[in-house]
């Protein structure tokens, strides 16, 4: 079973950058597709992006495309979310998730981290 722990969140100024990390435990991390989601107050959990088990394919929501980049290091059991040109509307709790296949739907993922708060100020 995979256990996920997010880190790297915090307060940043609009236009700035931040990198989130998701560290995974378990011997089968490299077999899982990884997704990033976020949830702002009063809103549903929103798909941010995902990466295939090999790292060869990535997918992004239109709202973050061109600004966010997902990568993974299977040797370190870690997936990253690099966020650039941050906007106040990016403020949310960010979650990493693991699943068998790449999907944009939260229900398709099997394991979830505890979340990391990202706050973008004006």
């Amino acid at each position: 079973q995979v256990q996920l722990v997010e880190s790297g969140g915090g307060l940043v100024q609009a236009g700035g950058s931040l990198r989130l990390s998701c560290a995974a435990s378990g011997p089968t991390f490299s077999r899982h597709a990884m997704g990033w989601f976020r949830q702002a107050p009063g809103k549903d959990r929103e798909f941010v992006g995902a990466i295939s088990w090999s790292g060869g394919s990535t997918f992004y929501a239109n709202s973050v495309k061109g600004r966010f980049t997902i990568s993974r290091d299977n040797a370190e059991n870690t997936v990253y979310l690099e966020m650039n040109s941050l906007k106040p509307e990016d403020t949310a709790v960010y979650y990493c998730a693991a699943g068998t296949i790449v999907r944009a739907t939260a229900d398709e993922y099997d394991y979830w981290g505890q979340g990391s708060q990202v706050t973008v100020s004006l």
Side-chain angles (χ1 to χ4, degrees), residues 18-69:
L18 196 65
R19 188 178 77 163
L20 300 181
S21 298
C22 177
S25 63
T28 61
F29 169 77
S30 62
R31 298 183 182 181
H32 285 83
M34 299 295 297
W36 284 96
F37 293 79
R38 65 187 182 185
Q39 188 164 22
K43 295 189 175 182
D44 294 332
R45 188 162 296 188
E46 176 189 16
F47 172 74
V48 175
I51 188 168
S52 63
W53 68 268
S54 67
S57 298
T58 53
F59 307 88
Y60 301 94
N62 289 333
S63 59
V64 305
K65 194 174 299 182
R67 299 188 297 121
F68 291 10
T69 302

Side-chain angles (χ1 to χ4, degrees), residues 53-108:
W53 68 268
S54 67
S57 298
T58 53
F59 307 88
Y60 301 94
N62 289 333
S63 59
V64 305
K65 194 174 299 182
R67 299 188 297 121
F68 291 10
T69 302
I70 297 173
S71 61
R72 68 188 297 164
D73 186 342
N74 289 341
E76 298 295 329
N77 291 346
T78 303
V79 63
Y80 304 96
L81 179 65
E82 181 76 28
M83 302 180 290
N84 300 310
S85 301
L86 283 163
K87 306 173 181 179
E89 50 263 45
D90 294 319
T91 295
V93 176
Y94 284 72
Y95 300 88
C96 65
T100 56
I101 55 175
V102 174
R103 287 288 186 270
T105 303
D107 289 346
E108 299 295 331

